[in-house]
């Protein structure tokens, strides 16, 4: 949560190899089941591709995006699983006024619903647009992928990773990065050269391998600096500015008041001298 | 007559305009009740794409600089010792106090869990600009409340508290300026987290400094508008001679702001600036009408002395400020493929109600408390008479029976 990104190579991460994803959406179903989330009414062709539901929401923490493209004159599909990136230095945690979000040592970024005041700053801050709001409620809270923290703590893998037959590997971030680099080196024709999540937002605990360039697949281009460092570079001056302005103004007013007093005394002296002269 | 009847009779005597304001406030209160019954999603046009709408953009991000008159003027009058401006201080404090109280109400309406507002006091997160702003707003509202107590005590003739307040005056003024500097600028820090969302026309690391500078010139302009309105519609003396001093300061602050903005646009932005014609037009309007035009107006001495031109220049500044805050918190955040957000009826009614409440309470306070007749030199605070009420004492408790 500070401006210095903590070492996350030991914390748990996801490696999602989109070239191996078959679009079965087992992860989507497993996530709904584990988190007891309501089904959503959807319709075909409601979003930019064939995916359903059209976007993530308070009821949908993860979803598989469909993207059609042309390869050697043939229509092909690419799929990618969208979820919370569990950033190493999460923007959502840094902006929350009550510290409701926390990056755990295990890896997942978790949300404490009992603290949240519902200001929605986390939604504005998250570079991946992950936190969603319970718009249907009078007193709404925030909802997002939990990284299956309760499962991870008790030694299990997240529900989606367990359900996935092909594409998701769960492990420590350091190992997964090595694995991803190995795959790229072994099959350079199969993989695009960049690991999404290695640098994005200062590094995330979800890493993607793709075949096509990232922007073609709809991955958001995100700064490689950790986001909280952008606000911290201004906020760290707060105590200094408070003291400077307070002290500076105190000095200025002391000086001006003194000047005034000296002037007044001078005038009084003159006046009394005059009356003195007058009486003589 | 019962108390209720007296109050009803009193209200019957009010001007049409005040009654209309009361109606708008009531409508706003009703709309906020509807928001709590039917939820945020049902009553506002907010959604996961637009988590923040009119209430944050206007009721918080814009209303805070609009209430900046009190701290700016306080510092000018008491720290830089331009005592001539003293008569303007009290109305500015009342405006500030009302403004901040209403910011608090607006914020509570926008929160999903307003009953947990106190959590900010308990669960600190010093890395959050919003934590910082909410702490400052609470502290500053307290300061303004203490400053506002002066006319109240004068009206009621309480001596001892008055003397304490007089003794506290300087520390309060300095605290007000320091706290305001922090939260006015931190409102800009809010948007530093939106690295890849806010357009490069507005996103740069100096945004907090720009927010602070613009709060200062907005505070000065609001005082000009307020004093002119009070002169026109509330039978108060014409203060345009005093306002002229403010119009002399204004072009300097606006000029510094313009330079900071120009430099940061030239050297500190990342990403293309000219790629979105709509945003570019908004930016040009904000700078052209809201900064350059008033500088040109206030450079001429003739305009500075003319109360009509004073008002026009100040209104341009306010227009530019409002547009700037909306550009930063709303328009500049819209991505090219996003649907456009428009506030719902409920959202609009609440915001209109908040503005009406401000006007209404200002007029009512001015009616019942001595905020225009501030002559500290005529008030004698030397008599130690405890906490007892002292009626009919000369020199204070002068009330305008307007
Ligand atoms: S992706 Fe968004 S919600 Fe998830 S940890 Fe990062 S900033 Fe927080
Ligand atoms: S909505 Fe809740 S979790 Fe999000 S920033 Fe506000 S208080 Fe924190
Ligand atoms: S980690 Fe758990 S909560 Fe997150 S997407 Fe997978 S199953 Fe859903």
């Amino acid at each position: 949560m500070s401006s210095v990104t903590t070492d996350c190579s030991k914390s748990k991460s996801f490696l999602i190899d989109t070239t191996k994803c078959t679009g079965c959406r087992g992860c989507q179903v497993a996530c709904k089941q584990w988190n007891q989330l309501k089904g959503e009414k959807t319709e075909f062709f409601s979003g930019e591709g064939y995916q359903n539901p059209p976007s993530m929401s308070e009821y949908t923490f993860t979803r598989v995006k469909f993207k059609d493209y042309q390869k050697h004159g043939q229509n092909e599909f690419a799929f990618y699983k969208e979820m919370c990136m569990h950033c190493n230095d999460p923007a959502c945690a840094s902006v929350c006024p009550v510290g409701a979000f926390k990056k755990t040592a295990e890896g997942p970024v978790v949300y404490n619903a009992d603290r949240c005041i519902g200001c929605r700053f986390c939604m504005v801050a998250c570079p991946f647009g992950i936190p969603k709001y319970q718009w249907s409620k009078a007193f709404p809270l925030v909802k997002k992928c939990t990284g299956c923290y309760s499962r991870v703590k008790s030694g299990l893998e997240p529900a989606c990773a367990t359900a996935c037959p092909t594409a998701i590997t769960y492990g420590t971030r350091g190992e997964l990065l090595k694995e991803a680099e190995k795959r790229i080196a072994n099959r350079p024709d199969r993989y695009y050269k960049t690991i999404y999540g290695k640098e994005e937002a200062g590094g995330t605990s979800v890493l993607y391998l793709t075949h096509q360039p990232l922007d073609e697949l709809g991955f958001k281009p995100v700064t490689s600096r950790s986001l909280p460092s952008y606000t911290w570079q201004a906020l760290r001056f707060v105590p200094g500015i408070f003291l400077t302005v307070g002290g500076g103004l105190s000095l200025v007013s002391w000086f001006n008041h003194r000047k005034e007093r000296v002037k007044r005394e001078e005038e009084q002296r003159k006046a009394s001298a005059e009356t003195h002269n007058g009486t003589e | 007559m019962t108390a209720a009847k007296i109050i009803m009779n009193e209200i019957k005597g009010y001007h049409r305009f005040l009654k209309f304001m009361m109606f708008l406030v009531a409508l706003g209160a009703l709309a906020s009740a509807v928001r709590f019954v039917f939820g945020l999603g049902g009553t506002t046009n907010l959604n996961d794409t637009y988590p923040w709408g009119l209430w944050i953009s206007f009721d918080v991000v814009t209303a805070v600089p609009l209430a900046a008159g009190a701290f700016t003027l306080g510092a000018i009058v008491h720290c830089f010792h331009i005592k001539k401006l003293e008569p303007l201080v009290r109305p500015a404090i009342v405006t500030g106090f009302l403004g901040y109280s209403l910011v608090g109400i607006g914020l509570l309406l926008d929160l999903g869990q307003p009953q947990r507002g106190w959590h900010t006091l308990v669960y600190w997160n010093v890395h959050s600009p919003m934590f910082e702003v909410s702490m400052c707003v609470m502290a500053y509202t307290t300061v303004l409340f203490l400053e506002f107590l002066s006319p109240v005590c004068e009206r009621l003739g309480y001596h001892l508290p008055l003397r304490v307040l007089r003794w506290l005056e300087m520390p309060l003024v300095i605290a007000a300026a320091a706290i305001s500097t922090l939260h006015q600028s931190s409102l800009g820090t809010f948007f530093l987290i939106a690295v890849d969302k806010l357009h490069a026309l507005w996103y740069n690391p100096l945004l907090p400094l720009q927010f602070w500078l613009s709060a200062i010139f907005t505070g000065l302009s609001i005082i000009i508008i307020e004093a002119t309105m009070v002169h026109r519609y509330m039978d108060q003396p014409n203060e345009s001679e005093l306002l002229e001093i403010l119009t002399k300061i204004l072009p300097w602050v606006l000029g510094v702001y313009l330079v900071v903005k120009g430099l940061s646009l030239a050297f500190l932005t990342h990403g293309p600036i000219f790629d979105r014609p709509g945003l570019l037009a908004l930016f040009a309007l904000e700078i052209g009408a809201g900064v350059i035009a008033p500088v040109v107006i206030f450079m001429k001495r003739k305009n500075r002395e003319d109360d009509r031109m004073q008002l026009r220049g100040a209104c341009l500044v306010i227009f530019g400020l409002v547009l700037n805050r909306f550009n930063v918190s709303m328009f500049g955040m819209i991505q090219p493929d996003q649907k456009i957000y428009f506030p719902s009826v409920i959202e609009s009614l609440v915001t209109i109600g908040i503005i009406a409440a401000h006007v209404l309470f200002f007029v009512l306070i001015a009616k019942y408390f001595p905020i225009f007749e501030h002559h500290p030199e005529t008030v004698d605070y030397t008599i130690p008479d405890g906490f007892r009420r002292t009626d009919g004492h000369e020199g204070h408790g002068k009330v305008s029976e307007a």
Side-chain angles (χ1 to χ4, degrees):
Chain A
M1 226 173 59
S2 74
S3 54
V4 197
T5 308
T6 40
D7 178 26
C8 282
S9 57
K10 289 270 157 31
S11 63
K12 293 281 199 217
S13 295
F14 297 77
L15 174 61
I16 303 177
D17 190 336
T18 63
T19 66
K20 292 187 181 171
C21 177
T22 59
C24 73
R25 298 193 281 198
C27 54
Q28 234 174 277
V29 175
C31 180
K32 286 241 175 198
Q33 271 179 349
W34 177 255
N35 293 297
Q36 311 248 309
L37 298 168
K38 211 171 87 181
E40 281 184 85
K41 230 199 170 97
T42 59
E43 37 182 280
F44 204 40
F45 285 120
S46 52
E48 64 262 56
Y50 298 91
Q51 67 266 26
N52 252 328
S55 64
M56 291 198 286
S57 71
E58 53 181 298
Y59 310 114
T60 307
F61 296 169
T62 187
R63 105 193 140 124
V64 175
K65 276 183 111 177
F66 284 46
K67 178 86 192 170
D68 40 357
Y69 67 104
Q70 298 252 321
K71 189 177 156 193
H72 310 307
Q74 288 225 300
N75 281 336
E76 295 267 354
F77 268 127
F79 314 105
Y80 98 80
K81 177 190 192 290
E82 214 182 9
M83 64 188 288
C84 171
M85 301 288 285
H86 299 284
C87 310
N88 296 349
D89 192 5
C92 56
S94 91
V95 296
C96 177
V98 291
F101 280 108
K102 200 175 91 213
K103 173 81 178 172
T104 58
E106 292 87 346
V109 173
V110 293
Y111 166 70
N112 181 351
D114 293 334
R115 276 200 187 182
C116 175
I117 57 172
C119 67
R120 307 188 288 290
F121 201 175
C122 49
M123 304 173 67
V124 174
C126 172
F128 305 101
I130 298 300
K132 303 290 176 195
Y133 210 49
Q134 295 175 313
W135 292 108
S136 49
K137 301 220 165 121
F139 293 89
L141 288 165
V142 170
K143 287 285 195 175
K144 82 163 187 68
C145 156
T146 61
C148 285
Y149 186 53
S150 56
R151 289 176 64 100
V152 173
K153 253 197 320 196
S154 53
L156 293 168
E157 294 198 347
C160 55
T162 313
C164 180
T166 47
I168 304 178
T169 323
Y170 197 71
T172 64
R173 190 167 189 269
E175 278 164 20
L176 291 183
L177 272 175
K178 258 187 236 139
E179 167 70 20
E181 267 149 22
K182 205 170 79 198
R183 285 190 204 174
I184 294 179
N186 289 349
R187 306 277 304 273
D189 53 319
R190 186 188 175 110
Y191 292 107
Y192 182 65
K193 288 278 166 306
T194 313
I195 306 167
Y196 189 79
K198 187 181 175 197
E199 307 275 339
E200 273 68 20
T204 64
S205 292
V206 176
L207 305 164
Y208 287 98
L209 283 173
T210 64
H211 172 69
Q212 306 90 332
L214 295 166
D215 50 339
E216 272 176 37
L217 262 180
F219 282 89
K220 287 194 187 103
V222 167
T223 168
S224 60
R225 223 174 105 185
S226 94
L227 271 91
S229 69
Y230 285 89
T231 43
W232 187 242
Q233 70 181 8
L235 276 178
R236 71 201 157 109
F237 292 119
V238 159
I241 290 178
F242 185 77
L243 294 178
T244 316
V245 174
L249 282 180
S250 308
L251 269 182
V252 166
S253 34
W254 177 80
F255 184 74
N256 280 326
H257 279 261
R258 199 186 113 89
K259 211 167 69 183
E260 181 115 316
R261 207 185 58 223
V262 169
K263 209 170 84 193
R264 213 175 34 234
E265 281 170 3
E266 192 89 330
E267 270 163 15
Q268 266 168 6
R269 218 182 10 252
K270 253 192 223 148
S272 70
E274 265 165 30
T275 47
H276 199 68
N277 285 344
T279 49
E280 257 186 354
Chain B
M1 262 198 288
T2 60
K5 256 198 197 144
I6 296 177
I7 293 173
M8 280 317 289
N9 272 345
E10 183 82 20
I11 291 177
K12 263 190 208 139
Y14 288 169
H15 192 272
R16 276 206 308 288
F17 174 75
L18 275 194
K19 286 183 188 153
F20 180 59
M21 288 292 126
M22 285 177 159
F23 170 71
L24 287 182
V25 173
L27 216 56
L30 198 69
S32 3
V34 171
R35 169 251 176 274
F36 281 113
V37 176
F38 293 100
L40 271 174
T43 52
T44 66
N45 284 346
L46 301 175
N47 51 40
D48 285 329
T49 323
Y50 288 99
W52 285 354
L54 179 67
W55 289 348
I56 292 289
S57 288
F58 188 84
D59 303 359
V60 179
V61 177
T62 310
V64 168
L66 286 182
F71 97 86
T72 332
L73 197 63
I76 293 178
V77 171
H78 292 292
C79 300
F80 294 95
H81 231 66
I82 310 186
K83 284 284 173 195
K84 257 207 288 188
L85 294 175
E86 180 98 49
L88 301 176
V89 171
R90 275 208 179 161
I93 286 174
V94 173
T95 321
F97 175 58
L98 281 175
Y100 274 87
S101 310
L102 292 170
V103 165
I105 292 178
L107 198 58
L108 283 181
L109 287 178
D110 189 79
L111 289 186
Q113 307 278 341
Q115 79 284 6
R116 292 184 184 166
W118 55 273
H119 280 195
T120 38
L121 290 170
V122 195
Y123 305 114
W124 290 25
N125 178 11
V126 292
H127 289 265
S128 165
M130 187 177 276
F131 165 74
E132 219 243 287
V133 168
S134 40
M135 289 301 245
C136 281
V137 165
M138 281 187 257
Y140 188 43
T141 314
T142 316
V143 169
L144 281 168
F145 178 69
L146 289 176
E147 293 187 315
F148 170 67
L149 275 184
S150 279
V152 175
C153 290
E154 272 174 36
R155 166 78 169 95
L156 303 174
Y158 292 150
H159 266 229
L160 200 68
L162 256 183
R163 288 171 60 207
V164 175
L165 288 172
R166 293 276 294 164
W167 176 74
L168 272 177
E169 190 172 39
M170 277 315 291
L172 284 183
V173 165
I174 290 170
I179 298 173
S180 293
T181 302
L182 290 190
H183 70 260
Q184 295 285 1
S185 58
S186 290
L187 273 178
T189 314
F190 269 38
F191 300 96
L192 288 186
I193 200 83
V195 193
D196 301 298
K197 294 182 181 171
L198 181 56
H199 193 265
L201 282 168
W202 293 281
Y203 189 94
N204 61 65
L206 289 188
L207 201 59
L209 177 64
Q210 294 168 11
F211 265 50
W212 179 66
L213 286 169
S214 48
I216 294 179
F217 65 63
T218 306
L220 296 176
S221 308
I222 279 288
I223 292 168
I224 295 178
I225 295 180
E226 183 186 272
T228 316
M229 291 300 169
V230 160
H231 162 58
R232 280 199 195 165
Y233 301 109
M234 292 172 73
D235 304 323
Q236 293 300 324
N238 187 348
E239 308 280 21
S240 66
E241 230 169 89
L242 299 182
L243 299 182
E244 199 195 318
I245 304 177
L246 299 183
T247 58
K248 258 187 219 149
I249 307 175
L250 259 178
W252 288 99
V253 190
L254 285 165
V256 173
Y257 175 73
L258 202 60
V259 170
V260 170
K261 216 149 163 144
L263 288 180
S264 37
L265 199 61
F267 299 111
L268 295 173
T269 44
H270 53 251
I273 293 177
F274 299 108
D275 60 335
R276 306 265 299 273
L279 293 185
L280 199 62
L282 285 172
F283 182 81
L285 188 63
E286 166 200 326
I287 295 293
V291 184
I292 297 177
V295 169
V296 172
I297 290 179
F298 289 136
M299 295 258 264
K300 279 218 193 78
R301 179 165 187 166
K302 207 171 89 247
N303 290 337
R304 286 205 299 265
E305 287 168 358
D306 176 40
D307 43 351
R308 281 233 309 284
M309 288 315 280
Q310 284 176 348
L311 181 65
R312 274 181 211 166
C315 284
L316 279 177
V317 172
I318 299 303
F319 166 78
L321 181 276
V322 175
L323 184 58
N324 170 262
R325 295 305 194 256
F326 272 87
N327 279 341
V328 171
S329 64
M330 191 183 284
F331 306 141
M333 300 269 254
I334 300 176
Q335 304 307 311
D337 48 354
Q338 261 174 32
K339 270 202 214 122
I340 302 293
Y341 154 89
F342 208 77
S344 72
V345 177
I346 298 283
E347 283 176 274
S348 315
L349 281 180
V350 167
T351 297
I352 293 171
I354 284 182
I355 299 172
H358 196 141
V359 177
L360 175 69
F361 288 125
F362 182 83
V363 177
L364 289 183
I365 289 174
K367 222 175 159 80
Y368 296 110
F369 295 98
I371 67 165
F372 294 121
E373 306 79 354
H374 186 33
H375 306 290
E377 53 292 347
T378 63
V379 186
D380 178 17
Y381 299 111
T382 51
I383 315 142
D385 56 357
F387 287 98
R388 263 172 302 118
R389 199 192 146 107
T390 54
D391 314 81
H393 202 281
E394 290 276 9
H396 50 80
K398 284 189 292 186
V399 193
S400 61
E401 301 295 352

